[in-house]
Amino acid sequence: MPSASPRGEPETGLELMDKINVGLIGLGTVGEGVARILTGKSKFLEKKIGAKLALKRVCDKDIRRKRELKLDPSILTTDVNKILNDPEIQIVVELVGGIRPAKDFILEAFRQGKSVVTANKALIAECGEEIFREAKKANVDLYFEAAVGGGIPIIKALRESLGANHIDTLLGIVNGTSNYILSAMADEGLSFSQALAEAQKKGYAERDPSLDIKGGDSAHKLAILALLGFGRSVDLKDIYTEGIEDVSLSDIEYARDFGYVIKLLAIAKNIGGKLEARVHPTLLSKEHLLSNVRGVYNGIYVHGDFVGGTLFYGRGAGSRPAASSVAGDIIDVARNIKYNCVNRVPVYVPDETIKGLRDISGIETRYYLRLSVVDKPGGLAGIAAILGKHNISIASVVQKERKQAKIVPVVMMTHDCREKDMRLALGEINRMGMIRKKTVALRVER
């Protein structure tokens, strides 16, 4: 039997810490939210952890700017080394974003024996393997819940809660800007440009929204989710990425007539030991769990072999949801430090059964097509003949009313076909003299 401590508790041979110090790098909107939690909920957090959690130092480029949150000036600094080189700081929170200098800060924190919490999706997506390896070598923790889904606990779910499952499908609405734009088009009848302008006015879209509307932000997040969910690293260049800038209000309306909504989806699937990883606008049935995820909200659908289908839903951006996730990671890391069990949960477990990646050309799905056709006899028959030649059958077709200059929108839904065949068919169709604009082709997800 172990001997008892003066407090009547068994001696374990481990020195349990009563105070854990945090250094915060980056006092932007998320950083300020994290600082607010750490300073305003100290007693609450102490009960959660079993140790005091102290915000010892905060580093930012501008520490003189007036902020709503008032911090003790003595803990503010512009010198990041006062955090990285402080032996009393056990947890470093990196919230500056981007690749450099954030990567340098994190690697130096590891070298100094400090665990790290970050919200840096670009860094994890592009340099994750190296960073995970260095964290393991230093025997410290790296947590990054806020990198995907804002306040949604999807990272913890994939790392821990769903650990008994082989994941076969992951579908995510993981970019709030694009989802807001598509929702505004569907709900308010706005054009794409009008919806984008409204998103920028409300602060949901950046002045340069390219990373969001072209799918790049979603691709970063998919790379992280695929690694955790499928145990396979995916290079960003291997994720097929297509944005929403070519989706028109008429596409939204035609899709609705067929019983679908249009969403920008991040998709990962294990099909016969090969991993699909793609981001593109997608038609979803109105009955699908993700179809009612609107506005700036995110939704992530995960299907495992034992759990079946699960849906994670919540605010995907904003200072409070992201700060909630960062603080949750700090609590986990602090517990690990207190009880001397860092690296308790691996970032991911490699799955050797996944032999490679499936190229976009090899997928099979249904398609929505919108063609701008000169209204003259034989046009539709010619299009159908080309599709048939490439093994594509038409499930339904709608020819809309004649527009100016005798141009008629023709909208089709196909049966399942190969992407490779569809691309060859569209190449021929778009060269036809009667086609006036490049055909819009959107994939369908069940």
Side-chain angles (χ1 to χ4, degrees):
M1 291 287 291
S3 61
S5 72
R7 290 179 291 183
E9 297 170 351
E11 294 284 1
T12 63
L14 299 176
E15 182 182 350
L16 302 184
M17 295 188 176
D18 293 322
K19 183 180 179 182
I20 297 167
N21 291 311
V22 178
L24 172 61
I25 306 173
L27 196 57
T29 55
V30 177
E32 193 166 336
V34 172
R36 186 181 299 280
I37 292 173
L38 296 182
T39 57
K41 291 191 168 189
S42 57
K43 294 295 183 183
F44 178 74
L45 297 179
E46 184 177 347
K47 291 178 181 178
K48 294 267 185 179
I49 298 166
K52 292 180 180 178
L53 196 63
L55 181 59
K56 187 179 183 193
R57 190 79 64 190
V58 177
C59 178
D60 194 75
K61 290 188 295 184
D62 183 3
I63 59 175
R64 296 186 178 183
R65 179 165 64 89
K66 288 187 177 180
R67 305 173 191 274
E68 184 181 337
L69 176 66
K70 302 301 180 185
L71 293 172
D72 182 349
S74 67
I75 72 169
L76 299 176
T77 182
T78 57
D79 183 2
V80 72
N81 291 310
K82 289 187 175 180
I83 290 177
L84 298 177
N85 296 331
D86 185 341
E88 294 184 353
I89 291 176
Q90 298 105 314
I91 302 173
V92 172
V93 181
E94 180 277 306
L95 296 176
V96 298
I99 305 300
R100 285 270 160 61
K103 179 181 178 182
D104 301 321
F105 296 160
I106 290 174
L107 294 180
E108 181 59 29
F110 293 162
R111 284 190 285 270
Q112 297 289 341
K114 304 180 191 303
S115 291
V116 172
V117 173
T118 181
N120 196 329
K121 60 181 177 291
L123 181 60
I124 299 299
E126 296 185 28
C127 310
E129 293 278 43
E130 176 189 357
I131 292 171
F132 302 153
R133 185 171 58 249
E134 292 302 313
K136 185 174 182 180
K137 189 194 320 185
N139 194 33
V140 294
D141 277 324
L142 172 69
Y143 278 60
F144 48 93
E145 184 66 68
V148 180
I152 303 172
I154 183 63
I155 302 297
K156 189 178 182 73
L158 291 173
R159 286 178 73 167
E160 299 187 48
S161 304
L162 298 176
N165 288 263
H166 283 94
I167 306 300
D168 55 66
T169 302
L170 189 151
L171 309 174
I173 298 171
V174 292
N175 182 263
T177 299
S178 292
N179 200 48
Y180 178 85
I181 290 170
L182 293 173
S183 297
M185 293 171 71
D187 298 339
E188 302 173 36
L190 302 182
S191 67
F192 176 84
S193 59
Q194 289 172 327
L196 173 57
E198 185 176 287
Q200 289 171 321
K201 183 179 179 180
K202 292 185 176 181
Y204 299 148
E206 302 287 345
R207 183 176 300 177
D208 178 3
S210 300
L211 190 64
D212 295 316
I213 65 174
K214 292 182 180 294
D217 176 76
S218 295
H220 277 118
K221 294 169 181 175
L222 182 61
I224 297 171
L225 293 173
L227 181 64
L228 271 62
F230 297 88
R232 171 66 191 244
S233 178
V234 183
D235 196 298
L236 282 170
K237 66 179 175 56
D238 294 323
I239 298 177
Y240 175 83
T241 306
E242 184 181 314
I244 64 169
E245 61 268 40
D246 291 332
V247 177
S248 71
L249 178 58
S250 60
D251 294 318
I252 299 278
E253 293 170 342
Y254 296 150
R256 182 186 293 133
D257 291 342
F258 284 116
Y260 293 92
V261 296
I262 299 178
K263 298 291 184 182
L264 180 66
L265 279 193
I267 300 170
K269 294 182 179 181
N270 181 355
I271 306 292
K274 286 202 170 183
L275 184 63
E276 292 181 9
R278 46 193 167 100
V279 172
H280 50 72
T282 310
L283 270 69
L284 279 175
S285 165
K286 290 178 181 178
E287 281 71 47
H288 196 283
L289 286 174
L290 290 173
S291 65
N292 289 316
V293 177
R294 289 189 166 84
V296 294
Y297 280 82
N298 282 191
I300 302 166
Y301 171 83
V302 181
H303 190 277
D305 58 349
F306 270 74
V307 73
T310 60
L311 180 66
F312 299 83
Y313 171 84
R315 287 190 175 274
S319 78
R320 294 176 72 87
S324 170
S325 287
V326 172
D329 280 349
I330 294 171
I331 290 169
D332 272 349
V333 174
R335 285 176 179 150
N336 292 348
I337 291 171
K338 175 175 172 59
Y339 295 106
N340 195 24
C341 57
V342 294
N343 279 320
R344 178 180 60 85
V345 181
V347 174
Y348 74 101
V349 177
D351 187 348
E352 305 299 336
T353 66
I354 297 180
K355 301 302 183 184
L357 301 178
R358 182 186 295 274
D359 187 79
I360 185 72
S361 63
I363 73 165
E364 292 190 16
T365 187
R366 299 181 70 194
Y367 288 83
Y368 158 96
L369 305 177
R370 176 170 58 82
L371 309 97
S372 297
V373 184
V374 175
D375 189 14
K376 63 180 184 180
L380 189 56
I383 293 167
I386 292 174
L387 292 172
K389 184 175 76 171
H390 292 283
N391 305 307
I392 301 168
S393 60
I394 300 170
S396 57
V397 59
V398 177
Q399 183 170 313
K400 296 295 182 178
E401 70 279 3
R402 178 183 296 182
K403 300 293 184 181
Q404 63 272 17
K406 296 185 177 180
I407 305 300
V408 178
V410 175
V411 182
M412 296 180 177
M413 295 291 295
T414 75
H415 291 293
D416 283 357
C417 61
R418 290 194 307 168
E419 172 92 10
K420 179 180 179 181
D421 293 333
M422 177 57 73
R423 291 189 179 191
L424 291 172
L426 289 177
E428 285 191 42
I429 289 170
N430 287 330
R431 290 192 294 270
M432 296 174 70
M434 65 184 66
I435 300 297
R436 286 293 179 259
K437 292 181 182 178
K438 182 181 177 181
T439 300
V440 173
L442 302 177
R443 300 161 192 88
V444 179
E445 188 65 41
R446 290 185 177 84

